[in-house]
Amino acid sequence: MWLRPEEVLLKNALKLWVTEKSNDYFVLQRRRGYGEDSGGLTGLLVGTLDTVLDSTAKVAPFRILHQTPDSQVYWSVACGASLEEISQHWDWLQQNIIRTLSVFDSGEDITSFVQGKIRGLIAEEGKSAGDEEDPERFREAVLRFERLFGLPQREKLVTYFSCSYWRGRVPNQGWIYLSTNFLCFYSYMLGNEVKLMYPWDEVSRLERTSSVLLAESIRVCVRGEDHYFSMLLRLQQTYLIMQQLAEYAIVRFFDKETFNAEHPLANPLHIMQKALEIHARNQSFRSFFRLPQEENLCEVHESFLWVPFSHVNTLGKICVSENYLCFASQDGSQCHLIIPLWEVFSVELPDRGSRALTVCLRGKRALRFSEVRDFERLAATIRRKCGTAGSPQHYISNPDEEGVMVGQSQAVSTEALMNVFHPHDAENLDPKMLKERMKEQSWQIHFAEYGRGSGMFCTKKTRDLIVRGVPETLRGELWMLFSGAVHDMTSHPGYYGRLLEECMGSSSLACDEIERDLHRSLPEHPAFQSDTGISALRRVLTAYAHRNPKIGYCQAMNILTSVLLLYAKEEEAFWLLVAVCERMLPDYFNRRIIGALVDQAVFEELIREHLTQLTEHMTDLSFFSSVSLSWFLTLFISVLPIESAVNVVDCFFYDGIKAILQLGLAVLDYNMDNLLCCHDDAEAVTVLNRFFDSVTNKDSPLPATVQQASATANDKSIQKVDISDLIKESYEKYGNIRTEEVENMRKRNKLYVIQTLEDTTKQNVLRVVAQDVKFSAAQLDELYMLFKRQHFVSCYWSVCSPALQNHDPSLPYLDQYQLDQSQFSSLFNLLQPWTTHTHVRSLARSAFRLLDANGDGLVNFKEFICGLDILYNRSFTEKLKFLFKLHIQPGTQECKILPSSRFFPPAEDHSFSTRLSGRAKVDLQEYLKQWQEDLQRREENIKDLPRINQVQFIGLTKTLYGVFHGTEEEESLYRAVARVTSLLLRMEEVGRKLQESSLQKTPQTTPTSTPQPETSPTLPTSPENETLAEGKGDQPESPASPQETAPSHSDITPTSTSRPSTPTSSPTGTSSPVLDTPTDTPSSPSAVRDGDWSFSFEQILASLLNEPSVVRFFERAVDTDSLIAHACKNQLKVAHFK
């Protein structure tokens, strides 16, 4: 075990210990009296001393010491009771520490690093059992985590590990903390503090690496910067947890997936390491056995299974879920089987000595398991579950049964289209039909030996038969079995019929898209030249769009479904489509086709590994990603004739995406010589197209009217390639690619693909916005990340935040991320350049209302950054105009007729139908057209601004006082605003008196005609305006008197709005006449008229321009970088205290 480092003097201890191994930094020693020389006199003496004189405990016979060069001082770091135990510690030091120590310059640094590392390992071993065993230790780690990183208590720490973080060539020993939303690291060593904190949603790479300097480490890439963590005691465990947390962030924030209340990951505030492990284990279990999403792994038992066809016991694991008993071998025989528990009718314990149990199935079959450690518990579990498992209403073990299935409408086809349009002719003695019958006979022999249906043994022989090609008559049945769709269908009897009743006849955008593509689906096949095939295709696609509106309908689904309907019944084709879209090809069929992009990245990785010649010739492999997209989306159906493509689909349903990757590698390998001679991408595309045209299926029994003969079919100069040979070659050369390896590569590349798409979105947004603002490229980048992070921060600590819906990748780039009022207010208050405190909430609320041009309650990045650009980089006039417009009453006639400013472009009209149209090209053209119109729109004229009334003007002056608060020139700025206010009021008084005198000279026709214009405007008493005037968010009370609705002139002076320490006398220094209100002024209740007092923007601007201190204040340059850095540092704190 590892020991806390303590000094050891070897001068007097050399005779008691023998050195077994040594290097420059460590020594492995064995105590005399143990091992080879234990029989000598010295050994006996030492053993006696250890036994008699040591009063505490027996001395461990092996130890490891750390030494510093040219020093007599050694440090004990590990001890062991056996050579095997101490050797494990020695090997770990050799692999993880030795090469690292060479980077240090002094022996003291080496010793300090080793001591810190060993202490971390000891702490790591102490918490290895988790916080259940030592909750106090974990509680201390939680408190330390909160103190170091300033995160709220709602942020759940999942686990922590001791490790080293590499900064350049120097390691920093510390602790890595893994929480629900963040990866954190802290180290304090030799006076150097290192603190890292990165959200999982920004991680673009996460992988295990090794190098000359680092034996093995974890590489984390965030925003283009690599971070390396090494010397982890449990590196694989740490890596898996990090991978699970990063994947959980993607599922929550990008996929917007929700979990039911019983799911271990349902609540992000209570995520535990055990919950992550359970979720990962259930996913792997369902993926391997192709089981429905409702199934969870309940028990695992290691055992031997008697395999009757080979007459041997094969070692493997029994996996039990709610409704299935599964077995997978571990001895390389690739044998596995799935038993539905409703097929079990008894469990017997024939031989307790061999710990065996026999599971008896319907159909006179039995499975014998032996050497099961807890066989009695397993037997009890199976008995209990086979009694509760529901018996399915669907049963397809007899493929000859026809008729209407349970719960289905009479309109649903119960025949595969191939049987209708190309029925099987038993009397046909054509050589191809004879070969087809030989295939059928081979499968019948396989069924007799290995079983048929859900309980069939799947072995290497099964795969060999698949590679040779599946008979036409058995294709639908085997697709259902190997894809796992049979389990979905049996678990949901009548589901498809109910879906059709709900959705048929309804109208939606998905239905319109389906109708448009119906006649483009295998149009040359007779089945889809008739109403029978077209109607079946329409029903399946419409039912699936209704089942999964998140996907709805996407192009390529029609091609795949057409092929499924040829060989499977209609309901079976529906469940096959479910299996493909939701389990076998996840995230393929959506607007961003993330799943296909991920598999293309995996394909590139495999090309680099297996086709090095091609990699050296073509340094940029992105060409293969673009050309292979249709291969993955349609499973080669779009590039191969239908009679050849179905053989590829056979392999896909058995081996999953692995079969498509293998075939892609085989295609490139077959054309290697021709591709190496290509000079550009166009030549390479031509080479591949010619190759696909040459692929045939010489054994296909389909008639010529059904087969898709290529243009070169009759060209004898072109060498033909049989699809069976190509598939066989792909398995021979690349069959060693393991499914688990492919799944790990998928997880690793999904982070990269999503962050690449996010970077593309950012670059396009910044390219559009940069033309309208004066921020630098680096500042815009930081501001965009702040804007985006604000969206995620508001979602970190909620179970199902409604703000998640504000992110929609299907929208144009500018509108993919939008903030609601709460999110906007938090970010605006962090970034606004003035230290105003009295009007924080109302100012942000008014700014949001102003920038939300289309009134949808959301602000996109362009609207946000254009508003911020005014406050940071524009002239005094533009800043004043912005503040002026903040206080204009919303919804007034003047506001509605204002032409849009170039700073506040109108929002695009992206209706729900436009967003779901699936035609990004049309959306983008419309967006660019509106953007071009926005650029050509004239700049807003200040004369177009409406006049501001009395209450709004009071709010504006109070806002100005708040803006000036805390500045060095605060007092002079207060006085300047007071002078301007007094001047404007005097001007308005003079204007009102002149108006009254002119009205008196005008003869009155009726007694009520003159006052009418004065009483027509209404004094604004809306909550927004009173909130602006008071700077508070509370709802105002109803006005009880005119004094409450019409503030006097004294309300405008700094006396009522400035700090408490501000003198009550007028800031002008004299007894201002503003405070001496005559009886005929608006402050008198009898003379108040709504709308009497109003000012134009030109009046306010002209008055403030005469105040140099105010102009200087607003013209002063803003330290943009400092404000952005402040916002980055405090963004999480604001969310914490909100």
Side-chain angles (χ1 to χ4, degrees), residues 758-1041:
E758 291 294 305
D759 289 342
T760 302
T761 299
K762 179 179 71 173
Q763 292 166 9
N764 283 280
V765 170
L766 298 186
R767 189 180 300 116
V768 172
V769 170
Q771 303 178 27
D772 292 335
V773 298
K774 296 182 178 180
F775 292 108
S776 67
Q779 291 170 347
L780 273 177
D781 187 274
E782 290 292 335
L783 288 168
Y784 180 86
M785 293 308 299
L786 279 169
F787 186 88
K788 176 183 171 182
R789 194 177 298 126
Q790 187 63 39
H791 162 77
F792 288 114
V793 165
S794 61
C795 307
Y796 281 158
W797 301 294
S798 59
V799 176
C800 187
S801 174
L804 282 172
Q805 305 308 316
N806 299 344
H807 174 221
D808 188 352
S810 66
L811 294 177
Y813 292 123
L814 278 177
D815 293 330
Q816 288 189 14
Y817 284 100
Q818 300 184 87
L819 301 184
D820 59 25
Q821 181 172 320
S822 174
Q823 296 168 315
F824 172 88
S825 298
S826 299
L827 185 58
F828 182 81
N829 292 333
L830 276 173
L831 287 170
Q832 59 98 1
W834 305 306
T835 57
T836 176
H837 299 288
T838 55
H839 287 66
V840 169
R841 294 172 59 187
S842 60
L843 192 64
R845 186 164 55 248
S846 301
F848 178 82
R849 187 200 71 222
L850 179 63
L851 298 176
D852 182 17
N854 62 352
D856 62 349
L858 298 171
V859 167
N860 64 29
F861 180 71
K862 184 177 182 181
E863 294 167 337
F864 174 81
I865 204 66
C866 287
L868 203 64
D869 181 62
I870 295 175
L871 301 182
Y872 277 55
N873 304 316
R874 298 296 172 174
S875 64
F876 165 68
T877 302
E878 293 294 334
K879 293 177 181 178
L880 183 63
K881 182 167 64 176
F882 183 85
L883 294 175
F884 180 87
K885 291 167 72 174
L886 291 183
H887 296 82
I888 296 176
Q889 180 182 3
T892 58
Q893 185 178 0
E894 294 87 342
C895 290
K896 290 179 181 178
I897 63 174
L898 276 177
S900 299
S901 166
R902 77 182 187 95
F903 295 115
F904 312 114
E908 298 115 318
D909 182 19
H910 296 296
S911 61
F912 183 71
S913 61
T914 306
R915 278 184 276 162
L916 297 181
S917 65
R919 300 187 178 273
K921 186 175 181 181
V922 177
D923 289 348
L924 185 58
Q925 289 177 346
E926 181 66 22
Y927 167 73
L928 292 175
K929 180 181 177 182
Q930 293 184 6
W931 176 59
Q932 185 67 24
E933 292 175 356
D934 174 53
L935 289 178
Q936 296 174 353
R937 189 175 288 112
R938 67 184 181 86
E939 188 172 352
E940 183 181 52
N941 194 307
I942 60 175
K943 293 183 179 180
D944 297 327
L945 293 173
R947 297 174 67 86
I948 192 169
N949 64 35
Q950 184 174 357
V951 174
Q952 295 164 354
F953 179 71
I954 293 172
L956 175 60
T957 57
K958 290 184 176 182
T959 297
L960 290 175
Y961 291 143
V963 166
F964 301 148
H965 179 71
T967 62
E968 296 178 356
E969 302 175 352
E970 178 179 354
E971 193 65 26
S972 63
L973 291 169
Y974 280 5
R975 294 176 183 276
V977 173
R979 285 194 295 271
V980 170
T981 303
S982 301
L983 175 62
L984 288 171
L985 288 174
R986 290 192 190 114
M987 291 169 58
E988 192 63 25
E989 287 178 11
V990 171
R992 190 185 60 79
K993 290 180 179 179
L994 289 174
Q995 185 180 13
E996 289 178 354
S997 61
S998 63
L999 289 174
Q1000 291 175 359
K1001 295 178 182 179
T1002 303
Q1004 299 180 3
T1005 56
T1006 60
T1008 59
S1009 61
T1010 301
Q1012 188 64 29
E1014 298 185 16
T1015 58
S1016 57
T1018 59
L1019 188 68
T1021 57
S1022 65
E1024 287 95 347
N1025 286 324
E1026 296 224 4
T1027 302
L1028 279 173
E1030 297 298 329
K1032 300 177 182 179
D1034 300 327
Q1035 293 290 338
E1037 298 179 357
S1038 301
S1041 63

Side-chain angles (χ1 to χ4, degrees), residues 717-729:
S717 62
I718 297 179
Q719 182 181 0
K720 303 299 180 183
V721 180
D722 187 69
I723 187 64
S724 297
D725 296 336
L726 186 62
I727 292 175
K728 184 179 179 181
E729 183 179 347

Side-chain angles (χ1 to χ4, degrees), residues 147 343 991 1046 1061 1111:
R147 175 177 55 82
E343 295 291 323
S1061 59
V1111 177

